[in-house]
């Protein structure tokens, strides 16, 4: 997956996570729900798994009945590029390819905040 392929086409939500991370496990279904609401308007969610095997990532998605594209950051390089120092971390990227917001950790109002930010970008 290359960011430049989405420029002028999509708004991206990058959800940096790992299956062992409790806040990640709580946030991902909420983020997936928001992304699904806007999917027909060009919003794409990529779950960027940090340093886990494909089997671990898929086992978590299966347990939550989630169907989300997972990108594997096996050595943490992508996380380093996005300055991910803790997970979960959501990065919202506009159609222009620029980062529009960053959400570190799990917040109680993530659904409302993310929805509002996406609506503003659309």
């Amino acid at each position: 997956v290359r960011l430049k392929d989405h420029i002028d086409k999509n708004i991206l939500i990058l959800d940096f996570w790992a299956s062992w991370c409790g806040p990640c496990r709580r946030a991902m279904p909420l983020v997936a729900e928001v992304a699904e609401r806007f999917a027909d308007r060009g919003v794409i969610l990529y779950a960027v798994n940090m340093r886990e095997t494909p089997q671990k990532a898929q086992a978590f998605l299966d347990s939550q009945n989630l169907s989300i594209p997972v990108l594997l950051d096996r050595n943490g390089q992508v996380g380093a590029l996005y300055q991910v120092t803790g997970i979960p971390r959501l990065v919202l990227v506009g159609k222009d390819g620029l980062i529009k917001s960053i959400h570190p950790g799990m917040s109680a109002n993530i659904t409302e905040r993310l929805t509002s930010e996406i609506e503003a970008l659309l």
Side-chain angles (χ1 to χ4, degrees), residues 30-49:
L30 300 174
V31 174
E33 181 182 311
V34 172
E36 181 61 30
R37 269 191 269 148
F38 291 101
D40 63 340
R41 295 174 71 190
V43 175
I44 297 175
L45 168 62
Y46 287 117
V48 184
N49 182 269

Side-chain angles (χ1 to χ4, degrees), residues 64-95:
Q64 299 296 308
N65 198 26
L66 293 171
S67 179
I68 301 169
V70 174
L71 308 178
L72 299 173
D73 188 6
R74 294 178 193 243
N75 59 12
Q77 269 186 303
V78 176
L81 290 172
Y82 283 89
Q83 299 177 357
V84 175
T85 56
I87 53 176
R89 174 151 314 196
L90 292 178
V91 177
L92 186 62
V93 180
K95 289 184 179 184

Side-chain angles (χ1 to χ4, degrees), residues 2 12 23 31 40 45-46 50 52 55 62 64 66 73 76 81 86 97 99 101-102 104 106-107 110 115 120 122:
R2 296 180 311 179
L12 301 180
V31 174
D40 63 340
L45 168 62
Y46 287 117
M50 302 297 292
E52 291 189 304
Q55 295 80 8
D62 291 346
Q64 299 296 308
L66 293 171
D73 188 6
L81 290 172
I99 293 173
S101 67
I102 297 172
M106 166 63 182
S107 64
I110 190 62
T115 297
L122 291 171

